[in-house]
Amino acid sequence: MSTNEQLRTALSKVIDPELRKSITELNMVPHASVEGNTARVTVLLTIAGCPMRSTIEADVRAAALSVPGISQVDLELGVMSPEQRKELRDSLAGRRTPFSDPNSLTRVIAVASGKGGVGKSSITANLATAMAADGLKVGLIDADVYGFSIPALMGTRQNPTRVDEMILPPVAHGVKVISIGMFLDSNQPVIWRGPMLHRALEQFLSDVYFGDLDVLLLDLPPGTGDIAISVSQLLPNSQLLVVTTPQSTATQVAERAGTISLQTQQKVIGVVENMSYLQLPDGTRMEIFGSGGGQVLSDSLGEQLGYPVPLLGQLPLEESLREGSDAGVPVVLSDPDAEVSRRLRQISRTLVHRPRGLAGRSLPLNV
């Protein structure tokens, strides 16, 4: 293999941080050659103000210097022309996973709760991060438009990048994340009516380039309002995961979030009980919000829906969960040995234990 070919091979391993594809596959490297001990490389960024410019530059230099015999890199960073951006956009759009397609291999899980304050968003962020840490390709949509919190929980302050009409979501802890909060100034409130909420979710699903995902998680707003209905319409194959606390009142309200599936035809895949107990230094447990609510909800939903709705886990009250959320580093990463982290990882693996594949799918074959 010639040195030029070795250089091309090395550059093919450089991944665009936003598109999560090789820069050579994306046709971002119009020129790469070796002259003596110097690699001369041209890289075309998608837009002039590409937020990942420094990352791409560092990765390209490192890849070039990894080739034997190269000790210097002459790197020129340019910008794609409108025609090149259109070609890029068209090539990506042609490979987008149609999440609403019945034959899509992406698992779509909407995390719901009957009321606010039960830790639904924190659980969603941790499940997404745990799945990504296990090697899955994960997307996360903050569908709680009024009470968006996913950007803070995931520790991302980067704005989405626009490539003409296509939006590239920021990547946090290996998860592609999109939220209405990324498009607002500071902590500006969202004052929208139902149709605008539906349109925002629709744009997240159609204009945001997630690529081929194993799992798409949605953090729903509490209750059974507009967004919950829109999700069932736009993502008819989505499944519901219901979060509650042990408190009987919270369980009764959470039941409504699950039984909405009787009208939307979604499947409820499980219940997660949060804030189940506080582990005291002497080893005893203090059940601050009561006990048994998650199992009661699981049994009730199973009876009403006509199929088992398992209690997937009971999460303890732990300070590290709150600390990780405040710091923007989910607890499964910030304190992986904590009991709550172990249980979150177990729930994550239970949810995605089904491998992606074509089993049970109809194939477009003509006999």
Side-chain angles (χ1 to χ4, degrees):
M1 183 183 293
S2 69
T3 309
N4 284 339
E5 291 173 329
Q6 291 181 56
L7 176 60
R8 273 280 174 181
T9 300
L11 293 175
S12 70
K13 298 175 183 177
V14 177
I15 304 299
D16 183 283
E18 295 175 306
L19 294 170
R20 310 297 278 185
K21 291 183 180 294
S22 165
I23 59 173
T24 55
E25 181 185 354
L26 296 169
N27 294 321
M28 295 172 65
V29 187
H31 176 79
S33 64
V34 179
E35 297 178 14
N37 65 347
T38 302
R40 303 192 185 280
V41 182
T42 300
V43 175
L44 298 180
L45 304 175
T46 52
I47 59 173
C50 178
M52 295 288 106
R53 179 189 181 102
S54 59
T55 300
I56 293 174
E57 182 176 3
D59 290 349
V60 168
R61 289 186 182 278
L65 290 172
S66 70
V67 177
I70 294 179
S71 58
Q72 297 184 59
V73 180
D74 181 4
L75 175 59
E76 179 184 353
L77 294 179
V79 180
M80 286 184 174
S81 67
E83 293 76 18
Q84 289 170 320
R85 281 198 299 271
K86 183 179 184 304
E87 290 178 7
L88 172 65
R89 189 176 68 251
D90 291 345
S91 68
L92 293 174
R95 291 199 295 266
R96 285 186 192 175
T97 303
F99 301 123
S100 59
D101 189 329
N103 293 317
S104 171
L105 299 181
T106 300
R107 188 88 178 267
V108 182
I109 301 174
V111 185
S113 68
K115 60 192 292 292
V118 299
K120 167 184 55 61
S121 297
S122 297
I123 289 173
T124 307
N126 274 282
L127 290 177
T129 304
M131 291 173 186
D134 279 342
L136 297 177
K137 291 175 286 186
V138 184
L140 173 54
I141 294 178
D142 188 352
D144 192 351
V145 175
Y146 293 140
F148 58 86
S149 60
I150 290 297
L153 292 170
M154 296 295 287
T156 177
R157 294 175 176 81
Q158 179 189 336
N159 292 327
T161 301
R162 281 189 172 273
V163 179
D164 297 333
E165 293 83 19
M166 184 172 62
I167 300 172
L168 306 182
V171 179
H173 310 302
V175 179
K176 293 184 177 181
V177 182
I178 196 71
S179 169
I180 195 65
M182 297 173 177
F183 300 90
L184 302 176
D185 294 329
S186 186
N187 203 25
Q188 175 184 346
V190 178
I191 308 173
W192 288 350
R193 292 186 182 275
M196 294 182 70
L197 298 174
H198 180 89
R199 179 57 183 152
L201 181 60
E202 192 173 37
Q203 283 193 283
F204 284 166
L205 294 170
S206 61
D207 295 352
V208 177
Y209 176 73
F210 284 104
D212 183 29
L213 298 180
D214 294 304
V215 185
L216 176 65
L217 288 165
L218 293 96
D219 180 31
L220 299 185
T224 55
D226 293 300
I227 288 290
I229 297 170
S230 293
V231 167
S232 69
Q233 294 172 340
L234 296 170
L235 297 166
N237 303 311
S238 60
Q239 301 171 314
L240 292 176
L241 175 67
V242 182
V243 178
T244 186
T245 62
Q247 190 175 3
S248 59
T249 304
T251 300
Q252 292 170 13
V253 178
E255 187 175 315
R256 302 170 202 158
T259 53
I260 190 178
S261 63
L262 290 170
Q263 281 73 47
T264 62
Q265 306 305 308
Q266 295 163 290
K267 183 178 180 180
V268 181
I269 55 175
V271 171
V272 175
E273 182 185 277
N274 195 24
M275 309 180 197
S276 298
Y277 58 87
L278 176 66
Q279 189 81 40
L280 299 179
D282 63 1
T284 60
R285 294 181 176 183
M286 179 183 292
E287 296 172 335
I288 299 175
F289 298 106
S291 64
Q295 189 61 59
V296 170
L297 176 60
S298 170
D299 295 340
S300 178
L301 287 176
E303 182 178 344
Q304 295 185 63
L305 301 178
Y307 55 83
V309 178
L311 175 61
L312 298 176
Q314 296 172 293
L315 304 178
L317 275 165
E318 289 196 13
E319 190 176 13
S320 58
L321 175 59
R322 192 270 304 164
E323 290 174 340
S325 298
D326 288 346
V329 183
V331 69
V332 292
L333 295 182
S334 64
D335 190 2
D337 295 326
E339 178 64 22
V340 68
S341 297
R342 289 196 291 270
R343 297 199 176 205
L344 282 163
R345 286 195 298 271
Q346 182 180 23
I347 294 170
S348 163
R349 289 163 184 166
T350 300
L351 289 173
V352 297
H353 75 281
R354 183 189 69 185
R356 282 175 28 134
L358 298 175
R361 310 273 184 179
S362 59
L363 298 178
L365 301 177
N366 294 320
V367 180

